[in-house]
Amino acid sequence: MATMRDVAALAGVSAKTVSRVFNDDPHVRPETKERVDSALRELSYVPNTLATTFRSGRAPVIGVAVPDIADPFFGAIAKAIETLAAQHDMSVVITSLGDDGTREPRIVQSLLRQALSGLIIAPLSHDQSYLGSWTDRTPLVFVDRQPTGVLADSFTEDDHAGAHQATTHLVGHGHVRIGFVGDDASIPTTSGRLAGYRAALDEAGIEADDDLVALGAFDRASAAAACTALAGLADGPTALFSSNARATMSLVPLIRTGGLTVAGFGDFPMADMLTPAITVVDQDPAALGTLAAQRVLDRLAHPQRRYRRRTVLPVRLVERESCRSRAPRG
Amino acid sequence: MATMRDVAALAGVSAKTVSRVFNDDPHVRPETKERVDSALRELSYVPNTLATTFRSGRAPVIGVAVPDIADPFFGAIAKAIETLAAQHDMSVVITSLGDDGTREPRIVQSLLRQALSGLIIAPLSHDQSYLGSWTDRTPLVFVDRQPTGVLADSFTEDDHAGAHQATTHLVGHGHVRIGFVGDDASIPTTSGRLAGYRAALDEAGIEADDDLVALGAFDRASAAAACTALAGLADGPTALFSSNARATMSLVPLIRTGGLTVAGFGDFPMADMLTPAITVVDQDPAALGTLAAQRVLDRLAHPQRRYRRRTVLPVRLVERESCRSRAPRG
DNA sequence: TTGTAAGCGTTATCAC
DNA sequence: GTGATAACGCTTACAA
């Protein structure tokens, strides 16, 4: 690993001149540049990124913290971020937050210690006030979920409208007893979707029934458990609104056997190939990722400029077979 | 951001003593330690990771280079790596290689410049000789795909046996005209699976017919295109072996309409919920990721120790409906 | 145009 | 047990 000093020695100049040549500083005589260039080649000089980073005080790295990288939704967000970062010669450090919100602060702060150029986070916990001291040091952008307890940019999707649209769609098919299946109402996305679901019922003149709200659906087992209560009701649901893709995927075995009508928030692989194909509210994770990464880059390039803090992307209903039949007459 | 010097000044000691206290060096008098500790707390000292990293010459970071982070298979690998890395206070830098093998060297080398503690790669190109100069500097571990042109550790799955097993299974159901659908035979995994497919046919006394090998299946459109040739044959296939999960997923629309029997290499979300449910060779991406990350950590901890270069994990056939019917009588 | 000096924050070395 | 000094590789400020 040749250093600039090595190159300088070989070219018979100072390290500073090597630095100038390497960084295309015009204030170098052509013949000097040539000598240095050939020395650079001869030693096949590669800059020590660590040193440059240390000197500059900021790593050319964007941090990404999401609940689960293996989830196709967050994977798509991460991929979009990485693509944009690569175009700007930046790397991406990815961290999974897991499902325990209490570990979030520790994980995220250890990320931030690395003097990142920016952090993009889809938070898990219900309080990001621990980020307060970082906001003036590192551009901070929330995706998918709004921040709580801290002022920061956010790019989210219209949870309320999407849920409203899907629920209204189910109502339009004659359903009156519509269940809500989700993970955890304290997650901002889920609570927004629950509100949209309730608003749609309300507008349709249907009284919301909390017995029809089944939470705790994280995987197939817990989804089945969450639905047991619904199944036990005297006046059970004829349709379900599922509040996220993971929950919808977990519900698929139940849908197949139970013959329920379903609409879900969030598309997922093969949703259109199932029998029945699942109607979903289509999100655009790649757009979320791209916008978030672009905001980080913008904030780095123009620290003074002002930006709209909160951006909510529209969603759209993709109707598939799972909703094409009408509700059974009650 | 208080530095060690600040703490030292406050505690009335030298920076080195602060360093000793902070790093639990026992050679510090208890009363000195106490003074330093309280100064550390008072200034809420946080070490500058960049400086430590620079000093040590190696970033506590494991690089991960895969064709596509958003692919559930590689997402699962990445997640497993990240989990193990986090347990060792390391971060993970993830890069997508995309689908253009010629860009791989540039992308990977810019990763390696960051003085990583290790690199885990599922390569795209057919030649990794560009990694030769890095092997004695950075632990290098291949996952899913064998290296070419460079000596390095690898953890792969048994492509040949898996394909052999699946093809034999199809043969066992009475199929004689069995097609092979895949992406690119120059990718080592695909070529290994093609070989396993051919070997199984050979053992069954079925003559391999290259007309039945359809390559270029990357997404739904290209999969459909690749199958057009098969469909045009006078004596077309009654069953297909698909060489990877992405290809299998792309084939699903065709399977549904065409009534073909299918077995695929690689499980994927919802494969068991489709109609028909798809028989697959089950891989274990999480195991690949964990083993690879563990190897990186082992090589860091014990640079002298010798390891088995090549580890091939077994795979197992998961039989589902898509193969349960017998071939139509010819 | 080129070079010198200094410093980023941490830690290894070697005195005391 | 503690501290002064130097060093990691690069770049900014300033001098020549």
Side-chain angles (χ1 to χ4, degrees), chain A residues 188-212:
Chain A
T189 46
T190 304
S191 65
R193 292 166 195 177
L194 186 53
Y197 153 84
R198 287 190 169 129
L201 292 182
D202 191 52
E203 281 173 28
I206 299 173
E207 196 175 349
D209 179 351
D210 282 349
D211 286 348
L212 293 179

Short mmCIF file of all heavy atoms in Angstrom, two decimals, chain A residues 188-212:
data_model
loop_
_atom_site.label_atom_id
_atom_site.label_comp_id
_atom_site.label_asym_id
_atom_site.label_seq_id
_atom_site.Cartn_x
_atom_site.Cartn_y
_atom_site.Cartn_z
N PRO A 188 -46.82 3.91 13.99
CA PRO A 188 -47.56 5.00 13.36
C PRO A 188 -48.29 4.59 12.08
O PRO A 188 -49.42 5.03 11.84
CB PRO A 188 -46.50 6.06 13.07
CG PRO A 188 -45.23 5.59 13.65
CD PRO A 188 -45.41 4.25 14.25
N THR A 189 -47.63 3.78 11.24
CA THR A 189 -48.30 3.38 10.00
C THR A 189 -49.58 2.63 10.32
O THR A 189 -50.63 2.87 9.72
CB THR A 189 -47.39 2.47 9.16
OG1 THR A 189 -46.80 1.49 10.00
CG2 THR A 189 -46.28 3.27 8.51
N THR A 190 -49.49 1.71 11.26
CA THR A 190 -50.66 0.89 11.59
C THR A 190 -51.78 1.75 12.18
O THR A 190 -52.95 1.58 11.83
CB THR A 190 -50.27 -0.22 12.58
OG1 THR A 190 -49.21 -0.99 12.01
CG2 THR A 190 -51.45 -1.13 12.88
N SER A 191 -51.41 2.68 13.04
CA SER A 191 -52.46 3.50 13.64
C SER A 191 -53.13 4.38 12.59
O SER A 191 -54.34 4.57 12.60
CB SER A 191 -51.91 4.33 14.80
OG SER A 191 -50.97 5.25 14.32
N GLY A 192 -52.33 4.88 11.64
CA GLY A 192 -52.92 5.69 10.57
C GLY A 192 -53.88 4.88 9.72
O GLY A 192 -54.93 5.36 9.28
N ARG A 193 -53.50 3.63 9.48
CA ARG A 193 -54.34 2.77 8.65
C ARG A 193 -55.61 2.38 9.41
O ARG A 193 -56.70 2.29 8.82
CB ARG A 193 -53.55 1.54 8.21
CG ARG A 193 -52.44 1.94 7.24
CD ARG A 193 -51.38 0.88 7.00
NE ARG A 193 -50.21 1.51 6.36
CZ ARG A 193 -49.08 0.87 6.08
NH1 ARG A 193 -48.93 -0.42 6.36
NH2 ARG A 193 -48.09 1.52 5.50
N LEU A 194 -55.46 2.18 10.69
CA LEU A 194 -56.63 1.87 11.51
C LEU A 194 -57.61 3.05 11.49
O LEU A 194 -58.83 2.87 11.34
CB LEU A 194 -56.18 1.57 12.94
CG LEU A 194 -57.23 1.09 13.94
CD1 LEU A 194 -58.00 -0.11 13.40
CD2 LEU A 194 -56.57 0.73 15.28
N ALA A 195 -57.05 4.26 11.57
CA ALA A 195 -57.90 5.45 11.54
C ALA A 195 -58.62 5.56 10.19
O ALA A 195 -59.81 5.89 10.13
CB ALA A 195 -57.05 6.70 11.79
N GLY A 196 -57.89 5.27 9.11
CA GLY A 196 -58.50 5.34 7.78
C GLY A 196 -59.62 4.32 7.62
O GLY A 196 -60.68 4.60 7.04
N TYR A 197 -59.38 3.15 8.15
CA TYR A 197 -60.38 2.08 8.14
C TYR A 197 -61.63 2.52 8.89
O TYR A 197 -62.75 2.42 8.40
CB TYR A 197 -59.73 0.84 8.77
CG TYR A 197 -60.62 -0.18 9.44
CD1 TYR A 197 -61.24 -1.18 8.69
CD2 TYR A 197 -60.80 -0.16 10.83
CE1 TYR A 197 -62.03 -2.15 9.32
CE2 TYR A 197 -61.58 -1.12 11.46
CZ TYR A 197 -62.20 -2.11 10.71
OH TYR A 197 -62.96 -3.06 11.33
N ARG A 198 -61.41 3.10 10.08
CA ARG A 198 -62.56 3.53 10.89
C ARG A 198 -63.32 4.67 10.21
O ARG A 198 -64.56 4.70 10.21
CB ARG A 198 -62.10 3.98 12.28
CG ARG A 198 -61.68 2.78 13.14
CD ARG A 198 -61.45 3.20 14.60
NE ARG A 198 -61.32 2.02 15.44
CZ ARG A 198 -60.30 1.83 16.30
NH1 ARG A 198 -59.35 2.74 16.42
NH2 ARG A 198 -60.26 0.73 17.03
N ALA A 199 -62.55 5.58 9.60
CA ALA A 199 -63.20 6.72 8.95
C ALA A 199 -64.09 6.23 7.80
O ALA A 199 -65.20 6.72 7.60
CB ALA A 199 -62.14 7.69 8.43
N ALA A 200 -63.58 5.26 7.06
CA ALA A 200 -64.35 4.75 5.93
C ALA A 200 -65.65 4.09 6.40
O ALA A 200 -66.72 4.29 5.81
CB ALA A 200 -63.51 3.75 5.13
N LEU A 201 -65.54 3.32 7.48
CA LEU A 201 -66.75 2.67 8.02
C LEU A 201 -67.74 3.75 8.45
O LEU A 201 -68.94 3.67 8.16
CB LEU A 201 -66.38 1.79 9.21
CG LEU A 201 -65.55 0.53 8.91
CD1 LEU A 201 -65.33 -0.26 10.18
CD2 LEU A 201 -66.24 -0.33 7.85
N ASP A 202 -67.21 4.73 9.14
CA ASP A 202 -68.04 5.80 9.66
C ASP A 202 -68.81 6.48 8.53
O ASP A 202 -70.01 6.69 8.59
CB ASP A 202 -67.16 6.80 10.40
CG ASP A 202 -67.99 7.79 11.19
OD1 ASP A 202 -68.86 7.34 11.97
OD2 ASP A 202 -67.80 9.00 11.01
N GLU A 203 -68.05 6.82 7.48
CA GLU A 203 -68.69 7.49 6.34
C GLU A 203 -69.76 6.62 5.68
O GLU A 203 -70.71 7.14 5.09
CB GLU A 203 -67.63 7.85 5.28
CG GLU A 203 -66.85 9.08 5.66
CD GLU A 203 -65.70 9.31 4.70
OE1 GLU A 203 -65.81 8.89 3.53
OE2 GLU A 203 -64.69 9.89 5.13
N ALA A 204 -69.57 5.33 5.78
CA ALA A 204 -70.54 4.42 5.17
C ALA A 204 -71.71 4.15 6.11
O ALA A 204 -72.60 3.37 5.79
CB ALA A 204 -69.85 3.11 4.80
N GLY A 205 -71.66 4.80 7.26
CA GLY A 205 -72.75 4.61 8.22
C GLY A 205 -72.68 3.27 8.92
O GLY A 205 -73.67 2.78 9.45
N ILE A 206 -71.48 2.68 8.93
CA ILE A 206 -71.31 1.40 9.63
C ILE A 206 -70.64 1.69 10.97
O ILE A 206 -69.62 2.38 11.02
CB ILE A 206 -70.42 0.44 8.80
CG1 ILE A 206 -71.08 0.15 7.46
CG2 ILE A 206 -70.15 -0.84 9.58
CD1 ILE A 206 -70.21 -0.64 6.50
N GLU A 207 -71.20 1.16 12.00
CA GLU A 207 -70.61 1.42 13.30
C GLU A 207 -69.37 0.55 13.49
O GLU A 207 -69.42 -0.67 13.28
CB GLU A 207 -71.63 1.12 14.40
CG GLU A 207 -71.23 1.75 15.74
CD GLU A 207 -72.32 1.55 16.79
OE1 GLU A 207 -73.44 1.12 16.41
OE2 GLU A 207 -72.05 1.80 17.96
N ALA A 208 -68.26 1.18 13.88
CA ALA A 208 -67.04 0.42 14.10
C ALA A 208 -67.22 -0.49 15.30
O ALA A 208 -67.81 -0.10 16.30
CB ALA A 208 -65.86 1.37 14.33
N ASP A 209 -66.69 -1.70 15.16
CA ASP A 209 -66.82 -2.67 16.24
C ASP A 209 -65.42 -3.15 16.60
O ASP A 209 -64.75 -3.80 15.80
CB ASP A 209 -67.67 -3.84 15.73
CG ASP A 209 -67.83 -4.92 16.79
OD1 ASP A 209 -67.15 -4.85 17.85
OD2 ASP A 209 -68.64 -5.84 16.56
N ASP A 210 -64.98 -2.78 17.80
CA ASP A 210 -63.60 -3.10 18.17
C ASP A 210 -63.33 -4.60 18.24
O ASP A 210 -62.19 -5.04 18.19
CB ASP A 210 -63.23 -2.44 19.50
CG ASP A 210 -62.90 -0.97 19.29
OD1 ASP A 210 -62.77 -0.57 18.11
OD2 ASP A 210 -62.79 -0.22 20.28
N ASP A 211 -64.40 -5.38 18.34
CA ASP A 211 -64.21 -6.83 18.31
C ASP A 211 -63.65 -7.29 16.97
O ASP A 211 -63.10 -8.38 16.86
CB ASP A 211 -65.55 -7.55 18.54
CG ASP A 211 -65.98 -7.45 20.01
OD1 ASP A 211 -65.14 -7.04 20.83
OD2 ASP A 211 -67.15 -7.76 20.28
N LEU A 212 -63.84 -6.45 15.97
CA LEU A 212 -63.38 -6.83 14.63
C LEU A 212 -61.93 -6.41 14.36
O LEU A 212 -61.41 -6.62 13.28
CB LEU A 212 -64.30 -6.22 13.57
CG LEU A 212 -65.73 -6.78 13.55
CD1 LEU A 212 -66.56 -6.07 12.48
CD2 LEU A 212 -65.71 -8.28 13.27
#
